[in-house]
């Protein structure tokens, strides 16, 4: 038996968009259930995101601490951002986010994991990259604003983050998925087992 998610689309008999925001919106679909009844489903429509687990030569992960208003917490996270342009190459977006948020570049990029963070209420898809061979980016630092103006930057040993995640001290989805995936890679088949950075992503198709 192969354990694999498969695409499927149940019939939608009515749809509406009661809210449109700057980057996301809310959609209401009336969906036909297997028994023939119709159920209403409200969910956030999202352009998709990328996240970067940047690992330095000392085995430390580059993390950021940022205020997240919906959960009223400052969370430790890995660099991440929206796919601002439909069809945008996710690798290019990830490289941009690593530069803008941490002023860092990387020579080695792999796909670490593809996830739907909240599939019961949002269609967001996230591609998490592993970036290695890090160095300081050239030029001036990107000028940040709003919540990002208060960000803290640190490099933390991988196992310390894993311990924090399992202890319930760290909560960011991409951070936890990233460090646990990386731990599995290091204890398993190694970096070469990971998909290349330009691997297809059916959830958010793009041109290389």
């Amino acid at each position: 038996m192969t354990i694999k998610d498969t695409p499927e689309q149940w019939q939608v008999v009515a749809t509406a968009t009661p809210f449109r925001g700057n980057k996301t919106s809310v959609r209401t679909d009336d969906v036909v259930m297997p028994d023939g009844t119709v159920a209403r489903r409200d969910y956030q429509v999202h352009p998709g995101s990328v996240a970067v687990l940047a690992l330095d030569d000392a085995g430390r992960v580059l993390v950021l601490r940022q205020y997240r208003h919906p959960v009223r917490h400052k969370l430790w996270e890995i660099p991440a951002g929206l796919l601002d342009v439909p069809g945008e190459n996710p690798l290019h977006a990830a490289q941009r986010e690593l530069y803008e948020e941490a002023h860092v570049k990387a020579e080695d990029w792999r796909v670490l994991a593809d996830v739907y963070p909240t599939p019961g209420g949002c269609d967001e898809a996230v591609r998490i990259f592993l970036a290695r061979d890090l160095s300081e980016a050239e030029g001036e630092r990107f000028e940040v604003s709003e919540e990002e103006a208060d960000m803290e930057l640190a490099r933390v040993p991988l196992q310390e983050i894993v311990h924090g995640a399992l202890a319930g001290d760290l909560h960011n989805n991409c951070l936890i998925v990233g460090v646990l995936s990386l731990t599995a890679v290091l204890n398993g088949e190694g970096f070469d087992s990971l998909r290349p950075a330009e691997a297809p992503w059916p959830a958010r198709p793009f041109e290389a």
Side-chain angles (χ1 to χ4, degrees), residues 32-59:
V32 180
M33 298 289 110
D35 64 358
T37 61
V38 175
R40 179 157 292 178
R41 296 289 178 260
D42 302 316
Y43 59 100
Q44 183 184 21
V45 178
H46 194 286
S49 307
V50 292
V52 185
L53 195 155
L55 183 70
D56 69 15
D57 293 339

Side-chain angles (χ1 to χ4, degrees), residues 44-50 82 115-119 122-126 204:
Q44 183 184 21
V45 178
H46 194 286
S49 307
V50 292
L82 298 176
V115 296
Y116 293 117
T118 52
C122 181
D123 72 352
E124 180 183 11
V126 183
R204 292 295 184 274

Side-chain angles (χ1 to χ4, degrees), residues 66-85:
Q66 183 173 348
Y67 176 66
R68 295 300 189 182
H69 185 71
V71 295
R72 309 306 200 269
H73 270 70
K74 273 192 171 181
L75 300 180
W76 284 104
E77 307 178 350
I78 56 178
L82 298 176
L83 292 170
D84 293 324
V85 181

